Amino acid sequence: MERFLGGCRAALQACIQNRRQVHVVLGNEACDLDSMVSALALACFFAKISPEPKAAFVPVLNIPRSDFPLRTESTFLLKEQRIPESSLIFRDEIDLIALHQAGLLSLTLVDHHILPSQDAALEEAVIEVIDHRPLEQERGPPCRITSELVGSCATLVTEKIFQDPVEVLDRTMAALLHGTIVLDCVNMAPEAGKVTPKDARLASLLESKFPDLPPRGVIFEALQNAKFDVSGLTTEQMLRKDLKAVSGEDVVIALSSVYVTLQDFLRCPAVAQDLCAFCRQRGYDALVVMTISFDERNEPSRQLAVYSHQGALQMAVCQSLEDSSNPSLGLSPLESPHPTIRAYTQGNATASRKKVLPIVKDFLRNWGHCGAMQPCRKTRAEPANTSPGSADSRPLEKGAVGRKDPPKSQRLGDDLLGDEDTHLPPTPMNSLVDECPLNQGLPKLSAEAVFEKFNRIAVARSCEDSPEKK
């Protein structure tokens, strides 16, 4: 697998120069570990079984390269398997629109099945879908569909690899798939409500074929620690790590999941100024920060803060969250050191961002109808020093206000468009990806196994500042 990934960029460039077919395996817009590993493994599998030796099979991670340090569990697992990040191809480095317009693109969607509106032109290039969520969009022949409600999309990719008579699975690919399945299925613990019999069966198959794979408890604990490790991130990076934005007619609200206690978050230096700058640069009127942390018994604890420089809007958002009954968040006010930040403990620890999001959407619909406020968009600050396709420039959901795109860097395939260059539209975060499946807490692990392995596994992760942060 390492050799395949190392040759992807050169193979892609050769196909572009010689006008040969390019088969892209595209993960979802959240680019979590499941999406990344599924794309890498499936593209490698296609390349090894393809009867077309001259075609390029390219996994594309559906985020800008500058956002990848925020996927701490992904960077950790790649480093463990000695796969350099330089061998990966990101969405801002390849022009899929140009490839499609040149008639060179075939597209497989993995860990998602709906393209955002900005990618509507790519719909006719989709030839296969593999996803583990309920299908919300029908696709007729010749598109092949694999859809099953399992805990991890990597399970479906693993099954596809095992079903083929050609032996393509190597130890690196197996380790990536195995670690992903174990993490997504919460260490295969039934009480977490994620694992299915198929997940368990495919994980066991990987273990039987490669007996030297790390024990499930060890790899789960290592990946889990890496996923929630924000020790090396700035306030801005913590907010961007797991961010979702929704909009009404004239109001944009962002929701960010942060993996520290709210007290620790509010103690960050100049946090109020950072929140103000974060919202102004991205055109957000309000920001809901949802924190999650775990105690010594691995029980989850949630807290929530609402920031806005517009007092009336902040008060209305807080009232909507306090009054919610479906679900009830169980909010209790906390003292906040900043007047622009209202803080709460969240009694309902099962109410993740995925469950809070509909409350915010309902609020926006009602707020728009009552016409309580009409902010002037012409005074909204434009993002400064935004990198191409970065999280700053991602479009919001329906009703969001557009912003000018900064100059784009050269991408693979740009030259196919000649003078009629069509810039790649940025892609939004995947609304189907919840920030944390561990609503009932982590399963109890073997302390002896973790202690033994952790003497040799370094989980410490220090992310560099994002290149777009000046």
Side-chain angles (χ1 to χ4, degrees), residues 23 46 108 126-130 140-146 160:
H23 187 147
F46 285 155
T108 290
V126 177
I127 63 171
E128 185 167 3
V129 167
I130 300 178
C143 183
R144 300 181 297 277
I145 305 290
T146 301
K160 188 179 184 73

Side-chain angles (χ1 to χ4, degrees), residues 12 15-16 19-26 56 58 60 91 94-109 115 119 121-127 416 424:
L12 173 59
C15 282
I16 291 172
R19 301 290 174 127
R20 295 199 300 261
Q21 192 70 18
V22 176
H23 187 147
V24 167
V25 181
L26 183 67
V58 182
V60 174
R91 184 64 192 269
I94 180 172
D95 195 330
L96 299 183
I97 301 293
L99 287 170
H100 178 53
Q101 291 180 354
L104 302 180
L105 180 66
S106 296
L107 193 59
T108 290
L109 305 182
L115 287 170
D119 287 338
L122 300 176
E123 282 285 353
E124 58 190 20
V126 177
I127 63 171
L416 292 171
L424 173 71

Side-chain angles (χ1 to χ4, degrees), residues 8 58 73 79 109 119 124 139 144 147 161 174 185 253 258 280 295 323 325 340 358 419 450 459 461:
C8 274
V58 182
E73 71 276 22
K79 186 173 292 185
L109 305 182
D119 287 338
E124 58 190 20
R139 294 180 184 273
R144 300 181 297 277
S147 174
I161 293 171
C185 296
I253 299 177
V258 177
R280 287 179 63 83
D295 61 21
D323 293 345
S325 59
T340 54
D419 294 333
V450 173
V459 187
R461 179 79 182 113

Side-chain angles (χ1 to χ4, degrees), residues 144-171:
R144 300 181 297 277
I145 305 290
T146 301
S147 174
E148 189 171 345
L149 300 182
V150 293
S152 176
C153 191
T155 294
L156 302 179
V157 173
T158 304
E159 182 180 48
K160 188 179 184 73
I161 293 171
F162 272 120
Q163 287 174 343
D164 195 273
V166 180
E167 185 71 30
V168 301
L169 194 65
D170 60 23
R171 206 274 183 188

Side-chain angles (χ1 to χ4, degrees), residues 113-115 123 134-139 145:
H113 63 276
I114 299 176
L115 287 170
E123 282 285 353
L135 291 179
E136 300 179 31
Q137 176 177 316
E138 295 294 328
R139 294 180 184 273
I145 305 290

Side-chain angles (χ1 to χ4, degrees), residues 343-388:
Y344 299 89
T345 58
Q346 183 179 316
N348 183 359
T350 67
S352 64
R353 186 186 61 188
K354 189 174 184 179
K355 296 178 181 178
V356 173
L357 197 59
I359 303 173
V360 175
K361 289 181 176 179
D362 286 342
F363 165 79
L364 287 171
R365 281 191 288 268
N366 295 331
W367 182 264
H369 289 158
C370 72
M373 180 179 65
Q374 301 294 327
C376 178
R377 290 291 169 181
K378 292 182 181 179
T379 62
R380 183 66 49 82
E382 294 291 333
N385 300 324
T386 304
S387 63

